[in-house]
Every structure is written in structure tokens, then in C-alpha cells.
Amino acid sequence: ELSAIDFFLLFLETKTMQDELKAKEYLDRGDIDRAIIAYQRIRPMKARILNIIGHLCSEKKGDYTYALRCHTQALTLIHTPM
């Protein structure tokens, strides 16, 4: 049987997966701006998602400044002790 904490963590993971699938749907349609917005709404924010946003910003939008900010924030998340 799931504890309340386990249930909550499962809920968060399921919600994240649904939000990520929505962002991927936008990508499949070529709607980069909506895909980026959908990825930005994902919580909790993870380094992997920040790197996806950074990649989209640099490769699809040419926004290297924001891409660098996303990748830097991803590195910060990875190297921050919990």
C-alpha cells in the first residue's frame, strides 16, 4: 500500500510526464514557442528539462543568451547538494 508521501511523489511524476508529453506534441507540430512555454511550466524543474529548453532556444530560435542561462541553471541544479 502506498503511503501519502509515495502517493504524492507518484502524482508529481505522472503530472510531469503528462506536461512533457504536451510539450512534445507542440514540438511535433512545429510550434517551438508553445513547446518552450509548456516545458517551462513543468514542476519540479529538472536539469534535463532545462537542457531541453536550452537546446530548443539555441537550435530552433537562435536565442543563445537564454539557452546559456538554461544550461547554466541546469548545471547549478546538478551540482547543488540536497
Side-chain angles (χ1 to χ4, degrees), residues 31-60:
D31 194 341
I32 305 304
D33 291 328
R34 283 192 180 168
I36 290 171
I37 290 168
Y39 279 119
Q40 289 170 330
R41 290 182 178 158
I42 293 175
R43 294 293 181 268
M45 183 55 71
K46 296 181 180 183
R48 183 176 60 78
I49 300 299
L50 285 165
N51 283 323
I52 291 171
I53 296 168
H55 174 78
L56 291 173
C57 287
S58 65
E59 299 299 316
K60 303 293 186 183

Side-chain angles (χ1 to χ4, degrees), residues 13-82:
E13 190 62 32
T14 302
K15 176 82 170 102
T16 299
M17 289 171 44
Q18 290 171 344
D19 292 342
E20 194 168 348
L21 285 173
K22 187 65 173 172
K24 287 179 183 178
E25 287 176 18
Y26 288 129
L27 280 180
D28 290 343
R29 288 190 247 154
D31 194 341
I32 305 304
D33 291 328
R34 283 192 180 168
I36 290 171
I37 290 168
Y39 279 119
Q40 289 170 330
R41 290 182 178 158
I42 293 175
R43 294 293 181 268
M45 183 55 71
K46 296 181 180 183
R48 183 176 60 78
I49 300 299
L50 285 165
N51 283 323
I52 291 171
I53 296 168
H55 174 78
L56 291 173
C57 287
S58 65
E59 299 299 316
K60 303 293 186 183
K61 307 240 346 134
D63 187 347
Y64 302 107
T65 302
Y66 190 69
L68 180 60
R69 191 179 330 161
C70 290
H71 290 305
T72 301
Q73 189 176 355
L75 285 171
T76 303
L77 282 176
I78 291 169
H79 294 292
T80 302
M82 292 187 176

